[in-house]
Amino acid sequence: MSVHTLFVTLDILGVFVFAISGAAAALQNRLDLFGVVVVAFVTACGGGLIRDLCIGAIPPAGLSNWIYLAAAIAAALTTVCAYGFVERLAYPVLLFDAAGLGLFAITGSHKALQYGHNTELAILLGMITAVGGGVGRDVLLNRVPVILQKEIYASAALVGSSIEVLGEGFGWSTTWLPWVAMLVCFALRIMALKYGWHMRWFAMPHD
């Protein structure tokens, strides 16, 4: 498998699992089928749309390539049809969200590098690709976005994209580098949820 094919595959896989996250969240909020599909698509492609606009990949892949829309719709319909199974998973939205976080942190940073951007921007855009869709989902569902809370979320994506970008800079093999970066991001997010790791919370002083 070529490097390009690998990252396109990971990108589509990221769309699918993030769309499941969005669809599950929409079903928990009792949206209709159209609402479920819309939230699934925004969750799956929102971060990628922002990334592509920033790097000059116009029109964005999420709008110009039918596979992205098809993957999001397929994930949404799968979630609707198999929601009983999805619901039985422990924290289904968080599980699929963590998986999508790792996948998009890697593909987002790699695509930024492919368009000739520097290390710092590639790392930042990898993080934005990973968290942008989740922000869109939370805004549509009238929730405080996860990245604005004390949870380790954007920082996990930042670690994953940093490993990918720095590894590519050092010439590490793309056979294993994306998988390592993705798993580190996923594991960091899951362990933070399991063990209650979080960023410091700043409270306003009492009068």
Side-chain angles (χ1 to χ4, degrees):
M1 181 184 293
S2 68
V3 174
H4 175 73
T5 302
L6 171 63
F7 279 95
V8 169
T9 302
L10 290 176
D11 207 27
I12 299 300
L13 183 59
V15 167
F16 191 84
V17 296
F18 249 148
I20 292 177
S21 159
L27 287 171
Q28 289 173 358
N29 282 266
R30 301 184 181 278
L31 272 63
D32 63 13
L33 181 59
F34 179 75
V36 171
V37 172
V38 168
V39 173
F41 178 78
V42 169
T43 307
C45 298
L49 295 178
I50 296 171
R51 175 205 61 212
D52 287 353
L53 291 173
C54 289
I55 66 177
I58 307 296
L63 298 178
S64 62
N65 191 335
W66 66 270
I67 296 178
Y68 287 82
L69 177 60
I73 293 176
L77 295 178
T78 299
T79 306
V80 170
C81 295
Y83 186 64
F85 170 75
V86 173
E87 195 175 27
R88 285 194 295 271
L89 295 175
Y91 305 106
V93 175
L94 297 175
L95 176 65
F96 287 106
D97 191 67
L101 192 74
L103 286 163
F104 275 171
I106 305 318
T107 59
S109 56
H110 175 78
K111 188 168 184 177
L113 288 175
Q114 292 299 106
Y115 273 73
H117 295 287
N118 61 33
T119 299
E120 295 82 0
L121 186 59
I123 292 173
L124 181 61
L125 288 176
M127 181 186 70
I128 290 173
T129 306
V131 305
V135 172
R137 174 199 63 212
D138 292 341
V139 169
L140 287 175
L141 298 178
N142 197 29
R143 308 188 309 197
V144 177
V146 176
I147 64 169
L148 300 182
Q149 302 179 48
K150 61 183 179 179
E151 296 186 29
I152 293 178
Y153 187 74
S155 51
L158 188 65
V159 170
S161 61
S162 297
I163 293 173
E164 176 65 29
V165 171
L166 295 176
E168 289 195 31
F170 287 123
W172 295 347
S173 173
T174 54
T175 301
W176 55 265
L177 175 61
W179 302 106
V180 171
M182 178 188 68
L183 287 174
V184 169
C185 178
F186 176 79
L188 181 58
R189 174 62 176 153
I190 292 297
M191 287 192 295
L193 290 170
K194 182 177 181 179
Y195 297 109
W197 300 345
H198 55 78
M199 306 296 287
R200 183 178 178 183
W201 178 65
F202 291 92
M204 293 296 292
H206 296 290
D207 294 331

